[in-house]
């Protein structure tokens, strides 16, 4: 018979309910309750991330705050809410799913760490990393004595010392990479140094954490910790011996990566987690070790990230922040003593990281301002900090009050990083460079032309290579910088790419010959070897809102004459254009407004087909329409450069207003900026152009008299069998103004819009050119401010 003191435990939660119509409350069942918890945390953290975006804070800040708000510190003060949404019976399921998500996230973190890069780490970065670990660790041990004398009495001394030291010495590598990318510091000396030091720090922190876990075991014999340490070391050595050959064999299979290899690797992650958990050093270590050992080159690592990251980072990982937030009760920090300890641990954490990093940086002859910047960057905390604290809490090393204080310390030190770094070390701004050859149109024709050609997917590479081939001319050497535009998202793959920036320059220029070739580099190599064109592949990794800064800075640094941008639409099978990246359109508009040189937008409709056309097989007809104005002059200059190629014929079509009686009807739409001086400049330019190309039999100049916009469009249609149209973005004159009545894409101008509209049945590629001006004015600038309503209506049809 049970005694009166026996407590009856609540029955375990069943997985699914029978539905409300049969009297079941879904919140009393594990699966629907888990779904509600996931939805709640995802919505809250995304909302907080949106609100914090103007402050340029990393998403981990929003996730930590969201977890705290959902816990007993805020919403959890309402016991009815806590009992309904996060009842005690559901926490086992919640923690299990959160830990599974964390397991695979740590696998992704391991994928970010490249052992080869760590071996190449310079002495300066290594010294900074060691200083950023040693001094904070020592100060953390000193702080632990204060805590044990006040609010943490009775805890085991050895594990508490190590946990406090690790908590203060950690630098969150993924969060740091995100902050550097947001501030455009990845490719600066400060950014590269911080990334190198943080990678070393990250690995060292995991080693120290393994030691702390081994010491925090519940075994009474000290030999238990020794056995845990030895077995853990043996496991890592075994993985290093067995893992890399198998993973390299898998990665050499090429693309597409076989699903069986993905499944085998994910199973290996789980198995490694099981082994390390059995040893007693937490399942996360096994997943992290497997991630580190996977080769970073080739398609294999990318395929793994693609399969895992969205589900893990988007749905499962946020649960870990809720799990952590439910353990964080800020209300436990009461009285002057507790708040004084919070101030102490914040000051100690900042002092150890910043002073240690600054002193070693100064000894390495790094300027003081950059040394201080490095110190604040190395003070970044994040998810790894939470992992350390949660393990300490679960092991009974940290009590509720100490845990809450350490979580707030991590939140504060990460939050202040961005504003302080922005204050003391200016992020990259628009490139201001003094160089002369900013246009294709120039007085001397034998000078080198430099182009920055941008693309956002590999599908356009064959057309771009054919465009390069057509642009190489004869009397000069063409140099092309081929820039792959990649969005810096919250995905781990973006951070994986950002980590590789340490090997390159601004932004990610391939400077050395011994780099590991990737898909983009390999695509351009055959063309470079067979032609006279020098091609430098590069990658710009940035958020789409600031991508134009990278493009403009790169153009200024490389002193290019023209930037060629991809259009935000691509051609479907039926020939119509559909939007693929709406935000790419805003990138193009900002580049057009701020570019330090001429700009062109390339509407690719398969120039030359789906493969590279050899120089001896080139047989193109290029057509340019001349109305008047600087943009038309630049377009014609580019077309003339192409006409130097022996396989290209150029048609120059000069439209002239016909009889006088028709001019009044046209002049109704004329902008005030198109005066008689513009017409005189056009005549002078055309006369000089005719004289310059008089001996080039591949160029045919034709003058067409038209009376209105309709006749102009009809005349343009007769040239729709050419391979490429090259037109100015903002042509001037009466005819151009008459055409300016249907602009779905104002960044293309009136002629470019006509050539891509449904009234033209042509499948010809189009290059829309804007000549460099020190400052855009008039229609050139106003058209970039027009809202997207016209295009939205067009896409909806």
């Amino acid at each position: 018979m049970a005694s009166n003191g026996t407590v009856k435990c609540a029955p375990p939660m069943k997985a699914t309910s029978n539905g409300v119509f049969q009297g079941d409350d879904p919140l009393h069942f594990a699966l629907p309750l888990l779904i509600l918890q996931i939805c709640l945390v995802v919505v809250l953290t995304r909302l907080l991330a949106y609100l914090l975006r103007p402050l340029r804070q990393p998403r981990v800040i929003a996730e930590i705050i969201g977890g705290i708000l959902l816990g007993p510190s805020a919403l959890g003060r309402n016991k009815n809410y806590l009992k309904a949404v996060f009842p005690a019976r559901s926490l086992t399921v919640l923690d299990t799913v959160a830990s599974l998500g964390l397991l695979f996230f740590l696998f992704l973190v391991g994928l970010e760490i490249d052992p080869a890069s760590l071996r190449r780490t310079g002495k300066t970065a290594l010294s900074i990393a060691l200083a950023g670990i040693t001094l904070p660790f020592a100060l953390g041990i000193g702080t632990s004595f204060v805590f044990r004398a006040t609010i943490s009495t009775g805890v085991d001394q050895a594990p508490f010392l190590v946990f406090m030291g690790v908590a203060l010495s950690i630098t969150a590598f993924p969060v740091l990479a995100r902050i550097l990318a947001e501030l455009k510091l990845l490719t600066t000396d400060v950014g590269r140094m911080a990334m190198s030091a943080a990678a070393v720090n990250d690995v060292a922190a995991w080693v120290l954490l393994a030691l702390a876990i081994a010491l925090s075991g519940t075994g009474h014999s000290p030999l238990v910790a020794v056995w845990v340490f030895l077995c853990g070391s043996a496991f890592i050595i075994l993985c290093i011996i067995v893992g890399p050959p198998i993973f390299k064999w898998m990665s050499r299979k090429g693309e597409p990566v076989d699903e069986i290899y993905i499944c085998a690797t994910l199973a290996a992650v789980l198995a490694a987690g099981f082994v390390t958990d059995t040893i007693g050093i937490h399942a996360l270590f096994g997943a992290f070790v497997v991630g580190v050992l996977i080769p970073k080159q080739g398609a294999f690592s990318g395929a793994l990230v693609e399969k895992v990251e969205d589900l893990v980072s988007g749905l499962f990982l946020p649960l870990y922040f809720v799990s952590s937030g439910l353990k964080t009760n800020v209300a436990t920090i009461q009285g002057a003593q507790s708040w004084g300890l919070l101030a102490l641990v914040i000051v100690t954490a900042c002092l150890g990281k910043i002073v240690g990093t600054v002193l070693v940086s100064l000894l390495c002859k790094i300027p003081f301002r950059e040394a201080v910047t490095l110190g604040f960057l190395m003070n970044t905390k994040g998810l790894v900090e939470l992992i350390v604290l949660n393990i300490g809490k679960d092991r009974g090393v940290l009590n509720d009050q100490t845990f809450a204080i350490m979580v707030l310390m991590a939140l504060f030190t990460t939050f202040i990083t961005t504003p302080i770094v922005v204050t003391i070390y200016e992020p990259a701004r628009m490139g201001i460079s003094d160089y002369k050859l900013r246009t294709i149109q120039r007085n001397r024709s034998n000078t080198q032309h430099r182009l920055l050609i941008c693309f956002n997917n590999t599908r356009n590479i064959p057309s771009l290579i054919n465009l390069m081939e057509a642009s190489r001319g004869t009397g000069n050497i063409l140099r092309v910088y081929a820039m792959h535009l990649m969005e810096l998202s919250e995905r781990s793959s973006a951070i994986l790419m950002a980590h590789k920036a340490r090997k390159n320059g601004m932004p990610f220029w391939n400077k050395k010959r011994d780099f590991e070739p990737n898909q983009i580099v390999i695509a351009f190599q055959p063309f470079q070897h067979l032609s006279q064109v020098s091609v430098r592949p590069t990658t710009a990794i940035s958020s789409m809102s600031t991508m134009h800064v990278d493009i403009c800075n790169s153009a200024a640094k490389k002193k290019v004459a023209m930037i060629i941008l991809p259009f935000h639409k691509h051609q479907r099978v039926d020939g119509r254009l559909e939007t693929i990246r709406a935000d790419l359109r805003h990138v193009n508009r900002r580049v057009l407004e701020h570019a330090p040189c001429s700009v062109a937008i390339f509407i690719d409709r398969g120039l030359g087909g789906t493969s590279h056309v050899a120089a001896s097989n080139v047989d193109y007809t290029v057509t340019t329409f001349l109305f008047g104005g600087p943009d038309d002059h630049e377009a014609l200059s580019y077309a003339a450069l192409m006409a130097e190629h022996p396989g290209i014929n150029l048609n120059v079509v000069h439209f002239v207003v016909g009889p006088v009686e028709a001019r009044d009807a046209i002049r109704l739409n004329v902008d005030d900026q198109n005066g008689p001086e513009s017409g005189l400049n056009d005549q002078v330019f055309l006369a000089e152009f005719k004289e310059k190309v008089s001996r080039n039999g591949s160029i045919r100049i034709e003058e067409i008299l038209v009376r209105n916009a309709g006749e102009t469009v009809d005349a343009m249609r007769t040239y729709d069998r050419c391979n490429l149209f090259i037109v100015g973005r903002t042509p001037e004159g009466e005819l151009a103004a008459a055409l300016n009545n249907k602009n779905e894409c104002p960044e293309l101008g009136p002629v470019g819009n006509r050539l891509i509209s449904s009234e033209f049945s042509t499948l010809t590629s189009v290059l829309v050119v804007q000549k460099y001006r020190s400052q855009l004015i008039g229609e050139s600038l106003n058209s970039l401010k027009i809202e997207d309503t016209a295009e939205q209506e067009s896409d909806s049809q």
Side-chain angles (χ1 to χ4, degrees), residues 400-437:
D400 291 345
Q401 195 171 356
T402 305
F403 181 80
I405 288 174
M406 299 302 290
V407 169
L408 291 184
M409 178 273 294
L411 184 64
F412 177 81
T413 54
T414 306
F415 191 90
I416 65 173
T417 299
T418 297
I420 290 180
V421 170
V422 169
T423 302
I424 63 179
Y425 195 89
E426 286 291 324
R429 299 191 182 277
M430 288 294 182
I432 300 176
S433 179
D434 184 20
Y435 67 100
K436 297 179 180 179
L437 303 179

Side-chain angles (χ1 to χ4, degrees), residues 485-779:
L485 307 180
M486 304 190 74
E487 182 180 9
L488 180 70
S489 63
E490 293 290 343
R491 305 179 69 184
S492 298
S493 55
I495 296 300
L496 186 61
M497 292 183 296
H499 177 46
K500 295 177 181 178
R502 300 196 311 110
K503 305 174 187 177
N504 307 317
M506 173 189 169
F508 320 118
W509 301 104
N510 292 318
K511 291 182 176 179
K512 300 180 180 179
R513 296 289 181 183
D514 57 349
F515 58 82
E516 184 73 22
N518 56 33
Q519 183 181 1
I520 305 301
V521 175
I522 292 173
F524 290 108
Q525 277 180 344
F527 169 69
Q528 181 171 340
H529 293 157
L530 295 173
S531 68
Q532 299 178 4
V533 180
S534 171
V535 183
R536 293 278 298 279
T538 176
T539 304
I541 303 176
S542 178
S543 61
M544 297 304 285
S545 61
T546 59
M547 184 70 76
H548 66 288
V549 179
D550 281 354
I551 297 173
C552 294
N553 281 343
S554 299
K557 182 179 179 65
K558 299 302 179 182
K559 299 183 178 181
V560 302
M562 178 177 284
I563 301 169
I564 298 180
L565 301 169
F567 193 42
H568 67 282
K569 296 184 178 183
H570 80 106
Q571 183 173 270
R572 300 188 313 202
V573 177
D574 60 1
R576 294 174 63 90
L577 294 172
E578 67 176 357
T579 301
I580 49 172
R581 289 298 302 264
D583 46 7
L584 185 61
R585 181 184 193 186
H586 299 292
V587 173
N588 290 348
R589 289 185 173 189
R590 294 186 187 104
V591 174
L592 285 166
E593 183 177 354
H594 300 290
C597 59
S598 295
V599 182
I601 297 178
F602 182 48
I603 299 95
D604 179 22
R605 283 173 159 168
L607 178 63
T610 59
S611 60
H612 169 221
V613 179
S616 58
N617 297 329
V618 171
D619 186 13
Y620 299 155
T621 298
V622 177
T623 300
T624 183
F625 299 127
L626 184 62
F627 293 88
D631 290 352
D632 276 16
H633 300 173
E634 184 75 350
L636 183 55
S637 299
Y638 196 139
L641 173 65
M642 287 188 170
E644 295 179 12
H645 195 290
I648 294 179
N649 295 310
L650 172 62
N651 294 325
V652 180
V653 182
H654 183 204
F655 288 105
V656 180
V657 180
V660 176
E661 59 268 18
R663 299 172 72 94
D664 293 334
I666 295 177
R667 194 175 287 123
L668 293 175
N669 296 322
V670 176
D671 191 11
D672 293 338
Q673 68 180 349
N674 302 328
E677 294 182 2
S678 176
L680 182 61
N681 291 335
D682 293 337
Q683 294 175 11
V684 173
F685 170 78
L686 190 57
E688 293 177 350
F689 177 78
K690 289 179 178 179
E691 181 181 355
K692 186 183 300 184
V693 302
S694 58
R695 296 183 180 180
N696 191 337
S698 63
I699 299 179
R700 184 166 64 93
I701 303 176
E702 185 176 0
E703 191 172 280
I704 299 180
L705 297 177
V706 292
R707 292 174 296 179
N708 51 49
E711 290 187 3
T712 305
V713 174
D714 290 338
M716 291 165 59
R717 284 199 187 98
T718 62
Y719 294 91
D720 61 359
R721 294 188 177 276
C722 67
N723 301 95
L724 177 67
F725 287 116
I726 303 181
V727 297
R729 189 178 85 84
T730 313
E732 297 177 1
E734 300 167 353
L735 280 173
L739 289 171
N740 197 11
N741 61 356
K742 185 181 179 182
N743 284 352
E744 294 179 1
C745 301
E747 64 272 21
L748 298 185
V751 181
N753 270 285
R754 293 280 180 171
L755 293 174
I756 69 166
S757 66
S758 57
E759 62 184 280
F760 265 76
S761 59
T762 179
L763 298 180
T764 303
S765 298
V766 182
L767 192 68
V768 180
V769 177
Q770 173 183 281
K771 187 177 181 179
Y772 167 72
R773 303 169 179 80
S774 58
Q775 185 173 3
L776 293 183
I777 58 173
E779 181 64 20

Side-chain angles (χ1 to χ4, degrees), residues 135-195:
L135 185 57
F137 191 86
L139 292 177
I141 291 176
T143 305
S144 68
F145 286 105
V146 179
F147 272 76
R148 290 187 72 246
T150 52
I151 64 174
S152 297
T153 57
V155 299
D156 292 337
Q157 181 174 351
F160 187 71
L161 297 183
V162 178
F163 266 103
M164 290 294 291
V166 173
L168 266 64
S169 61
I170 279 178
T171 296
F173 176 78
V175 180
L176 175 63
R178 172 76 47 200
I179 291 174
L180 290 172
E182 284 290 332
L183 300 182
K184 304 291 183 187
L185 296 177
L186 266 177
T187 56
T188 63
D189 291 336
V190 168
R192 287 194 292 269
M193 193 68 68
M195 288 282 281

Side-chain angles (χ1 to χ4, degrees), residues 194-260:
M195 288 282 281
S196 299
V200 175
N201 189 298
D202 212 27
V203 174
W206 282 104
V207 174
L208 291 173
L209 180 57
L211 176 62
I213 293 174
L215 292 174
S216 64
T218 57
H220 298 289
S221 172
L223 290 176
V224 172
V226 176
W227 277 112
V228 170
F229 181 77
L230 292 177
C231 291
S233 301
F235 169 76
I236 293 175
I237 294 171
L238 181 64
C239 288
I240 292 174
I241 296 173
V242 177
I246 296 176
F247 292 134
K248 286 180 181 178
W249 176 78
M250 291 181 178
S251 65
R252 283 198 295 265
K253 293 297 181 178
E255 295 187 74
V257 178
D258 197 326
E259 184 183 1
I260 188 65

Side-chain angles (χ1 to χ4, degrees), residues 436-453:
K436 297 179 180 179
L437 303 179
R438 298 175 182 265
T439 62
I440 299 296
Q441 180 187 349
R442 56 190 64 169
N443 295 327
R444 296 173 57 190
S445 60
N446 59 347
T447 53
Q448 184 188 65
H449 289 86
R450 296 187 176 193
L451 304 179
L452 176 62
I453 298 182

Side-chain angles (χ1 to χ4, degrees), residues 277-444:
D277 190 79
T278 303
I279 292 172
I281 54 172
H282 210 285
L284 302 180
F285 285 95
F288 178 76
V289 170
V290 173
V292 171
L293 295 180
I294 288 178
K296 304 306 182 287
Q297 289 77 28
F300 185 57
S301 60
L304 286 168
V305 171
E306 184 180 348
K307 300 289 185 184
V308 175
E309 65 177 337
D310 287 334
L311 181 65
V312 169
S313 300
L315 292 181
F316 291 157
L317 188 63
L319 288 179
Y320 188 77
F321 293 96
V322 176
S323 177
S324 177
L326 290 172
K327 303 171 188 173
T328 307
N329 190 355
V330 179
T332 59
I333 307 176
Q334 296 178 346
Q337 183 187 74
S338 296
W339 289 105
L341 290 173
L342 175 61
L344 172 67
V345 77
I346 289 175
V347 171
T348 304
C350 296
L351 192 67
K353 277 286 185 185
I354 296 169
V355 171
T357 303
V358 169
L359 289 178
V360 173
S361 299
L362 293 176
L363 291 176
C364 296
K365 299 182 179 179
I366 294 176
F368 179 75
R369 189 177 63 139
E370 295 185 3
V372 175
T373 303
L374 272 173
F376 279 99
L377 288 172
M378 294 297 291
N379 198 34
T380 304
K381 311 294 183 185
L383 178 62
V384 180
E385 175 84 2
L386 282 188
I387 294 172
V388 173
L389 298 179
N390 276 279
I391 293 175
K393 180 78 164 56
D394 294 339
R395 297 270 174 152
V397 178
L398 306 178
N399 60 26
D400 291 345
Q401 195 171 356
T402 305
F403 181 80
I405 288 174
M406 299 302 290
V407 169
L408 291 184
M409 178 273 294
L411 184 64
F412 177 81
T413 54
T414 306
F415 191 90
I416 65 173
T417 299
T418 297
I420 290 180
V421 170
V422 169
T423 302
I424 63 179
Y425 195 89
E426 286 291 324
R429 299 191 182 277
M430 288 294 182
I432 300 176
S433 179
D434 184 20
Y435 67 100
K436 297 179 180 179
L437 303 179
R438 298 175 182 265
T439 62
I440 299 296
Q441 180 187 349
R442 56 190 64 169
N443 295 327
R444 296 173 57 190

